[in-house]
Amino acid sequence: MNSKYWEADIETMPRPQLQEFQLERLRKTIAIAAHSPYYSKVFAAHGITPESIRTVDDVRKIPFTTKADMRACYPFGMVSGNMSEDAVRLHSSSGTTGTPTVIVHSQHDLDSWANLVARCLYMVGARRSDVFQNSSGYGMFTGGLGFQYGAERLGALTVPAAAGNSKRQIKFIQDFKTTVLHAIPSYAIRLAEVFQEEGIDPASTSLRTLVIGAEPHTDEQRKKIERLLGVHAYNSFGMSEMNGPGVAFECTEQNGMHFWEDCYFVEIIDPETGEPLPDGEVGELVLTTLDRTMMPLLRYRTRDLTRILPGECPCGRTHLRIDRIKGRSDDMFIIKGVNIFPMQVEKTLVQFPELGSNYLITLETINNQDEIMVEVELSELSTDNYIELENLRRAITRQLKDEILVTPKLKLVKKGSLPQSEGKAVRVKDLRDNK
Ligand code: DLL
């Protein structure tokens, strides 16, 4: 295969035709979901049938599905397919509250998911001849098996290295001539540090493409990762409820992530009112699966905040693009009446070459007042001269204040002294009395 596209007919389908395709799949999805204990009740209460959906906009007749609804249905109350005949895998996520959610897949669902991940990898230039190494945790985290089956579907040689053990990751990259690596952004930075510690120049390896996702990161952070590892890094978005990775992915233009609209119906809503927002405005992403048979989800409120990028993409794909995820509505915290996202802090810190990439935001109550403390590790480039460090601390504090509008307490700490998580980085610790 020597095409620019994995599935040209789908990826470049003219939008009116794509909408027709979506309508057909939406109706089919409703017919399937009607077999689940949960949706059968919802549909009966709201008069929803496949025939009641005449245009894709009629999706709004269906009420939202929330994470709380999923938890209330634990474990199998949202399953539409036949558990004993057709279920072949489940993924469960525990989330921060500890109450798990479950997604069950049929073989059809897994095949469709693998195809989407293969489509994403192909889009950023990966081919059968590539060696794909996955540094994700395997198991319930969908970044493991999701990319594994996707890369196998592509036909690449896969190296299921799994998470951690950075020296071994680097040995694999060298020995197996890995060309494409999947890593979460905080781990990509860690790996770059270990390359440096080991005195190995990443440019001397075969690595040329990095796929980064699963946690929010700024464009500045991406550029830093690209510089440190000498690769092109592409943003990859997904979530367990929507399979996992392979939901939306950057193309080589690196200007927004294409959302695979043949498999997902995308809405952006005002999180307060639930009303749809016009393209270009930031709101909450709401998703409907269009190609799942075992456990379709309709109008699922992701809590992720982003916007649809207006205009066409020069790559020729017609599927809409979303902007980098700004954060989750539940990541946002309010200090002294100001709404703040962790990404705003990261955006500022990454501009200082004297700083490393690991940071921690702690929210505390001091004398009945909310206070924000930012601890950030210094990089090798920093000095240990007290006066210079104090000047640096002041300069960063001023810039942070400009970005987040409150003055944080800033602590510069030694490299390696903040906790390093094996999975997704934990950026905020909320110790306030009344959170
Ligand atoms: O993180 C699936 C995944 C694995 C995506 C590997 C990409 C690569 P969950 O653990 O269910 O699934 O977490 C989903 O992570 O709702 C977002 O808040 C966040 N997230 C995922 N991708 C991105 C991204 C996987 N590219 C949650 N940028 C989502 C920012 C992301 N946030």
Side-chain angles (χ1 to χ4, degrees):
M1 209 187 314
N2 198 17
S3 154
K4 184 175 162 190
Y5 307 105
W6 178 248
E7 288 156 301
D9 50 340
I10 291 177
E11 291 171 53
T12 63
M13 192 181 276
R15 291 203 62 84
Q17 203 182 323
L18 184 56
Q19 282 197 344
E20 275 305 305
F21 189 75
Q22 287 191 306
L23 179 60
E24 195 185 305
R25 282 194 158 179
L26 179 60
R27 289 201 182 118
K28 221 188 226 168
T29 299
I30 290 170
I32 296 170
H35 295 288
S36 89
Y38 175 77
Y39 283 114
S40 65
K41 279 201 204 106
V42 171
F43 292 172
H46 292 83
I48 309 288
T49 59
E51 297 71 39
S52 69
I53 306 293
R54 293 204 191 86
T55 70
V56 278
D57 290 336
D58 282 344
V59 76
R60 291 195 204 114
K61 294 179 178 169
I62 308 168
F64 295 119
T65 304
T66 64
K67 188 131 191 154
D69 296 329
M70 290 187 71
R71 291 204 174 107
C73 287
Y74 180 84
F76 302 134
M78 276 196 192
V79 170
S80 308
N82 183 325
M83 279 300 288
S84 47
E85 287 297 316
D86 299 322
V88 294
R89 191 188 318 154
L90 73 73
H91 281 275
S92 172
S93 76
S94 58
T96 38
T97 65
T99 321
T101 54
V102 162
I103 295 287
V104 187
H105 297 281
S106 64
Q107 191 55 51
H108 167 90
D109 300 334
L110 295 182
D111 290 343
S112 168
W113 178 15
N115 182 61
L116 284 185
V117 174
R119 194 193 284 173
C120 295
L121 291 172
Y122 195 90
M123 178 161 70
V124 298
R127 297 291 182 268
R128 299 181 67 79
S129 50
D130 275 291
V131 179
F132 175 86
Q133 184 167 323
N134 191 1
S135 69
S136 255
Y138 277 63
M140 286 299 182
F141 179 56
T142 52
L145 292 177
F147 270 105
Q148 181 64 32
Y149 284 101
E152 284 178 11
R153 179 67 173 264
L154 176 73
L157 169 62
T158 58
V159 183
N165 202 339
S166 304
K167 285 187 195 166
R168 196 176 67 139
Q169 299 278 357
I170 293 172
K171 184 169 167 50
F172 285 169
I173 291 171
Q174 289 180 310
D175 295 353
F176 306 144
K177 309 234 172 321
T178 300
T179 51
V180 184
L181 176 72
H182 172 238
I184 60 175
S186 51
Y187 187 66
I189 291 276
R190 175 76 201 122
L191 200 62
E193 285 170 359
V194 178
F195 262 110
Q196 210 174 25
E197 285 160 20
E198 296 294 297
I200 301 167
D201 179 4
S204 69
T205 70
S206 316
L207 198 61
R208 61 178 163 73
T209 303
L210 197 68
V211 173
I212 48 172
E215 55 183 16
H217 56 288
T218 55
D219 199 43
E220 289 80 2
Q221 187 82 315
R222 177 252 287 278
K223 289 195 179 110
K224 183 171 175 178
I225 293 171
E226 290 188 320
R227 205 175 52 243
L228 290 174
L229 286 172
V231 292
H232 284 296
Y234 299 100
N235 195 357
S236 138
F237 171 79
M239 69 189 67
S240 326
E241 297 91 323
M242 294 291 131
N243 295 344
V247 175
F249 218 83
E250 270 182 342
C251 65
T252 48
E253 299 293 325
Q254 293 185 307
N255 183 19
M257 295 180 277
H258 286 282
F259 224 104
W260 297 127
E261 290 181 272
D262 54 322
C263 293
Y264 302 97
F265 185 76
V266 181
E267 297 170 81
I268 302 282
I269 62 158
D270 177 329
E272 304 293 325
T273 65
E275 289 302 312
L277 289 175
D279 288 5
E281 277 190 35
V282 173
E284 181 180 342
L285 185 64
V286 171
L287 297 174
T288 297
T289 63
L290 295 176
D291 193 30
R292 259 207 333 225
T293 60
M294 200 65 206
M295 189 175 153
L297 285 182
L298 295 147
R299 304 198 81 205
Y300 180 66
R301 289 192 64 157
T302 65
R303 294 190 267 188
D304 287 322
L305 301 172
T306 184
R307 64 191 183 114
I308 293 177
L309 294 177
E312 288 168 16
C313 184
C315 80
R317 291 177 183 83
T318 51
H319 296 232
L320 66 80
R321 283 168 304 154
I322 56 161
D323 205 351
R324 194 169 279 288
I325 304 291
K326 202 171 135 82
R328 293 173 63 83
S329 52
D330 34 8
D331 279 348
M332 189 190 76
F333 50 87
I334 302 179
I335 291 275
K336 298 181 174 146
V338 186
N339 299 358
I340 302 170
F341 283 100
M343 278 305 97
Q344 290 174 274
V345 172
E346 176 170 315
K347 208 169 114 192
T348 305
L349 299 180
V350 85
Q351 291 165 20
F352 291 87
E354 300 91 340
L355 300 181
S357 303
N358 206 1
Y359 67 95
L360 181 66
I361 301 168
T362 306
L363 311 175
E364 301 166 294
T365 311
I366 299 174
N367 299 332
N368 295 320
Q369 286 251 15
D370 281 357
E371 298 290 345
I372 170 168
M373 175 167 73
V374 178
E375 289 169 281
V376 57
E377 290 184 5
L378 289 161
S379 76
E380 269 97 20
L381 296 174
S382 82
T383 150
D384 41 19
N385 177 302
Y386 176 77
I387 295 175
E388 283 177 28
L389 280 178
E390 189 49 27
N391 286 341
L392 174 67
R393 203 183 59 76
R394 290 218 182 102
I396 301 168
T397 307
R398 263 197 312 275
Q399 207 140 318
L400 276 171
K401 158 100 196 291
D402 284 349
E403 176 66 36
I404 62 175
L405 308 177
V406 292
T407 307
K409 196 155 92 188
L410 182 73
K411 271 195 195 162
L412 303 177
V413 301
K414 250 183 47 207
K415 189 166 169 258
S417 59
L418 291 176
Q420 179 93 41
S421 105
E422 255 216 358
K424 300 190 189 199
V426 178
R427 299 301 191 191
V428 183
K429 220 162 70 181
D430 195 344
L431 305 175
R432 287 177 295 178
D433 298 342
N434 311 307
K435 35 177 173 171

